[in-house]
Amino acid sequence: MSEPSEADRDPETVSRFVEHFAAHLVEAGLPRMPARVFVALLASDTGVLTSAELGETLKISPAAVSGAVRYLAQQHMVSREREPGSRRERYRVHGDQWYEALANRDAVIRRWEDALREGVTSLGEATPAGRRLAETLAFLEFVEKELEAMMERWRTHREERFGRG
Amino acid sequence: MSEPSEADRDPETVSRFVEHFAAHLVEAGLPRMPARVFVALLASDTGVLTSAELGETLKISPAAVSGAVRYLAQQHMVSREREPGSRRERYRVHGDQWYEALANRDAVIRRWEDALREGVTSLGEATPAGRRLAETLAFLEFVEKELEAMMERWRTHREERFGRG
DNA sequence: CGCTTCCTTCAGAAATTTGTGAAGTTAAGG
DNA sequence: CCTTAACTTCACAAATTTCTGAAGGAAGCG
């Protein structure tokens, strides 16, 4: 029998995890292909894969890889690198970068806030509906601030536990 | 110019806000009908609407209302009430209930954690991939605890600012 | 320069999701 | 009980989304 070493990178084991975890992300609202690509990167040993490798392990066309990666890059969940002196593009999931993507939700929150402010104004601050919207707005403003503080605490916590990544 | 009173509840103004804010929620992953129904409730003066009222303001069939409401109830974003001695069902968005739904994300996070733990085990704790997954897991565990604390702080903050709802 | 490699874009096929009408279910009211 | 009101469920039609294959660029390499 084989040693429990790198040899355990049985493609099937990896694939099982990829599909399983990706399914959860999909359920949470991430499009299918981006989810699969993202998890494949997370589960790779170097955290870097080429487009071709992604296509092969996930059994999808180059076009699908391209689309998924574009999506992920927009969300700042992966970064693209150019291998110098080669046409190969490499995609990387930076350990932290992915947490920071969560902080990126910030942008989303801020747009919600804008919409709510408009609602408070147009419905009237003094109306019950206006007050309800105002409270929701206050909640989001609160969360926004808290998230920032939380990420700061995480960075500290992380260094204690994992050392500088 | 007109007084900012209840007279401002021009259906068209309300509708504009509903559609606008709902669009943001959809973009964030909420299905369309649930999003519209939810915002319609948020923007109503009492925070309570009957199925018929929802159908009329949103111009959708009873079936669509039914489906949307079922979804929202499952997510704990609205609650259903039975008007005693009537067949009419009423749907309510409780001011806080909706924040607490965010805490409900807890359940989602916990399932992610389970999937990640499995991944760490099957890929091997000692492998680079395993370590990456372990760190992601640690992040989620951290967030889970923080969220709870955050909600607690919000409740305090809220009372200071709005008095007990 | 032209060839080759790799990625992207585009149009369309396939699959999934979404919303409706119609029939079914439950419960109030006569 | 029978009628009527209100919501729900189901099957299907419609719209949207998703992925592919094919054609179209950019960039290294000879």
Side-chain angles (χ1 to χ4, degrees):
Chain A
M1 59 164 49
S2 64
E3 288 298 311
S5 69
E6 301 283 334
D8 269 335
R9 277 195 84 66
D10 165 31
E12 225 230 285
T13 302
V14 176
S15 176
R16 242 170 51 80
F17 169 69
V18 169
E19 299 305 331
H20 183 188
F21 192 40
H24 283 292
L25 297 182
V26 168
E27 202 175 339
L30 212 64
R32 182 181 310 272
M33 284 293 145
R36 296 178 71 208
V37 167
F38 178 68
V39 179
L41 280 168
L42 260 195
S44 72
D45 258 336
T46 57
V48 179
L49 292 175
T50 66
S51 176
E53 289 167 327
L54 283 168
E56 195 193 350
T57 55
L58 296 175
K59 302 277 196 301
I60 58 180
S61 71
V65 174
S66 177
V69 157
R70 177 165 17 130
Y71 178 95
L72 291 171
Q74 265 170 0
Q75 311 293 318
H76 301 108
M77 291 174 73
V78 308
S79 56
R80 351 166 59 118
E81 304 179 345
R82 203 158 300 211
E83 207 170 342
S86 162
R87 282 134 300 198
R88 271 199 174 140
E89 200 116 13
R90 305 193 310 172
Y91 306 110
R92 150 165 288 146
V93 52
H94 235 42
D96 1 20
Q97 183 183 18
W98 125 250
Y99 317 135
E100 307 296 342
L102 197 146
N104 195 293
R105 290 287 156 196
D106 242 38
V108 175
I109 293 186
R110 231 164 291 135
R111 261 170 299 165
W112 291 17
E113 289 176 0
D114 291 343
L116 281 169
R117 263 187 278 275
E118 195 202 293
V120 172
T121 303
S122 66
L123 296 186
E125 297 189 77
T127 66
R131 275 193 292 276
R132 184 175 312 106
L133 296 185
E135 188 179 322
T136 298
L137 175 57
F139 175 68
L140 290 180
E141 286 169 344
F142 180 82
V143 167
E144 194 185 348
K145 250 191 354 234
E146 288 273 325
L147 270 189
E148 212 165 315
M150 182 184 85
M151 288 308 293
E152 201 39 61
R153 284 192 293 275
W154 162 250
R155 290 185 200 103
T156 306
H157 182 80
R158 175 182 184 236
E159 251 182 50
E160 281 170 17
R161 178 157 169 186
F162 296 96
R164 35 186 63 266
Chain B
M1 51 170 57
S2 64
E3 288 297 312
S5 72
E6 301 284 331
D8 272 332
R9 273 195 87 66
D10 165 30
E12 225 231 283
T13 303
V14 175
S15 177
R16 242 171 50 81
F17 169 69
V18 169
E19 299 305 330
H20 183 188
F21 192 41
H24 284 291
L25 297 182
V26 167
E27 202 174 341
L30 212 64
R32 183 182 310 274
M33 285 291 145
R36 296 178 70 210
V37 166
F38 178 68
V39 180
L41 279 168
L42 259 196
S44 72
D45 257 335
T46 57
V48 179
L49 292 175
T50 66
S51 175
E53 288 168 327
L54 283 169
E56 195 193 351
T57 55
L58 297 175
K59 301 277 195 299
I60 58 179
S61 71
V65 174
S66 178
V69 157
R70 174 160 28 123
Y71 179 95
L72 291 171
Q74 265 171 1
Q75 312 293 318
H76 301 111
M77 291 174 72
V78 307
S79 56
R80 351 164 59 117
E81 304 178 346
R82 203 160 298 214
E83 206 169 343
S86 161
R87 281 136 300 199
R88 269 196 177 142
E89 201 119 11
R90 305 192 310 173
Y91 306 108
R92 151 165 288 146
V93 52
H94 234 42
D96 1 21
Q97 183 182 17
W98 124 251
Y99 316 134
E100 306 296 342
L102 197 145
N104 194 296
R105 290 286 156 197
D106 244 36
V108 174
I109 293 186
R110 231 164 292 135
R111 261 171 299 165
W112 290 17
E113 289 175 359
D114 292 342
L116 281 170
R117 262 186 279 275
E118 196 201 294
V120 172
T121 303
S122 66
L123 296 186
E125 298 188 77
T127 66
R131 276 193 291 277
R132 185 176 311 105
L133 295 185
E135 187 179 324
T136 299
L137 175 57
F139 176 68
L140 291 180
E141 287 169 343
F142 180 82
V143 166
E144 194 186 347
K145 247 188 359 231
E146 288 274 326
L147 271 189
E148 211 165 314
M150 181 184 85
M151 287 309 293
E152 198 45 51
R153 285 194 291 276
W154 162 250
R155 291 185 200 103
T156 305
H157 182 80
R158 175 181 183 235
E159 252 182 48
E160 280 169 18
R161 178 156 169 188
F162 296 98
R164 34 188 62 266

